[in-house]
Amino acid sequence: MTTVDHLRQVRLGNLRTVLLALVDRPGSRADLATRTGLTKATLSNLTEPLLANGILIEDAATLAGMGRPSKPLRFHPDGPVAVGAEINVSHLAVETLGLDGETLRRHLVPTDIRTRSADDVLDQVADLVRSVTPSRPLLGVGLAVPGVVQEGMLVRAPNLPSLVGVPLARDLGRRLGLDVVLDNEANLAALAHLWPRHLAGEDFVHVSADVGIGAGVVLGGEVYRGASGFAGELGHVVIERNGVRCTCGSRGCVERYAGLDVILKEAGRRHLDSLARALDAGDPKALSAVAAAGEALGVGLATLMNLFDVPTVVLGGSYAVLHEHLSAAVQSEMDTRVLAGGERHTRLVASPLGEFAVVRGAAGLITRRAVQQPERLVA
């Protein structure tokens, strides 16, 4: 590495440090110097190009205590944004996210994807992305899908076979003229609880359900993906050896007992909001269906807890909506089956992000990349 290359790497490292500090909270140069360990001169040198390019903005001077007035720096309200998009079995969703973590626009469209072609689905996703795209610089698109992702392609998705083997990232990118990054929806929902704010600590499992069930495993503040990207496939953990046949080809998988479509069918309801109303009204059939699903989910989660020993399970998506009526059955099974349960109960919480966790994580995948690779912002 030449001296010039080394100096460039040092500068980019310092810039990354400053941007991460601003993601945490705005601050004056003096405050940032204290938080980052960089000198005020270095900070001025680093931030001037960001101010000139509309990535940061400097607020009016304020006086806080003794000394000179300070001018807080923060991300520009009209600065670059990222878009998250989700393709799931029963819906499409999009969200626009700023570098400061603020949501600008979001939209969710209920639709059954299972019988549609990849081109048809991608055309609609592209239209949805355009509908939430403001007249601001775009950093790229994060695309979430329910299945195993490798090298920008969905390689296994039992519930969406028409999308398997299709270069989804490339094809959506061509439609939009943007860089698209593809990832698993459960991993991105977990990421939404890490970036830009830690909402569930540094070690947890985030689990949510549509037709299938996905779990994002977070260890030490990072999403654990496994050697081939298969980590967290909770929906296909077998809980009954000769049980109900699953779309994956196996039998007795968790999703055949605790997936949302199974819950709705057993409850005699067509939609989640109808089920929620029935539960609130004390409908016996709905209560029984959710309790049975909670027991099955708890058995599957106990397996993950015994493997990873994390302190928190976050119920997201439809499970967050059903949390009040679902959690007791889940907790009961985990208390019985998790080895550490007798002394240290696993914390079971509802996600504060609800049904938009996946698209928020998909957009966050792009904003985090921009901050961690600042050359994308100042190239």
Side-chain angles (χ1 to χ4, degrees), residues 83-96 105-111 113 121 124-129 131-132 141-145 172 210 354-360 362-363:
V83 179
E86 177 189 6
I87 299 173
N88 218 312
V89 179
S90 64
H91 68 264
L92 301 173
V94 287
E95 177 168 325
T96 311
R105 301 175 188 172
R106 55 171 45 159
H107 190 39
L108 186 146
V109 179
T111 180
I113 303 300
V121 172
Q124 187 174 1
V125 172
D127 287 341
L128 286 171
V129 169
S131 75
V132 297
V141 177
L143 177 60
V145 289
L172 181 60
D210 192 272
E355 60 190 353
F356 286 97
V358 173
V359 282
R360 183 173 175 82

Side-chain angles (χ1 to χ4, degrees), residues 225-297:
R225 300 173 183 277
S228 303
F230 280 78
E233 286 293 331
L234 176 64
H236 299 291
V237 170
V238 174
I239 58 173
E240 188 174 345
R241 184 168 176 265
N242 293 310
V244 179
R245 174 73 70 180
C246 182
T247 54
C248 73
S250 184
R251 287 185 177 273
C253 296
V254 174
E255 73 175 42
R256 301 313 307 145
Y257 302 88
L260 180 58
D261 62 335
V262 175
I263 299 174
L264 292 172
K265 180 180 178 181
E266 294 299 318
R269 301 285 164 170
R270 295 184 61 186
H271 303 292
L272 180 60
D273 56 353
S274 173
L275 174 61
R277 289 193 298 270
L279 291 168
D280 291 340
D283 180 78
K285 192 174 183 179
L287 290 168
S288 176
V290 171
E295 291 171 359
L297 180 61

Side-chain angles (χ1 to χ4, degrees), residues 217-235:
V217 180
V218 174
L219 303 174
E222 293 292 336
V223 177
Y224 178 72
R225 300 173 183 277
S228 303
F230 280 78
E233 286 293 331
L234 176 64

Side-chain angles (χ1 to χ4, degrees), residues 126-160:
D127 287 341
L128 286 171
V129 169
R130 294 185 191 103
S131 75
V132 297
T133 300
S135 56
R136 289 166 58 172
L138 291 175
L139 297 166
V141 177
L143 177 60
V145 289
V148 180
V149 171
Q150 293 177 348
E151 298 179 358
M153 192 175 296
L154 186 62
V155 299
R156 185 163 173 77
N159 294 310
L160 290 178

Side-chain angles (χ1 to χ4, degrees), residues 7-42:
L7 291 174
R8 182 173 183 273
Q9 290 303 314
V10 170
R11 180 180 176 81
L12 288 174
N14 289 339
L15 189 53
R16 184 184 308 115
T17 298
V18 173
L19 291 170
L20 286 169
L22 288 171
V23 168
D24 184 49
R25 65 180 187 275
S28 65
R29 288 177 176 80
D31 174 55
L32 289 170
T34 300
R35 287 158 55 192
T36 64
L38 299 172
T39 66
K40 292 181 184 179
T42 298

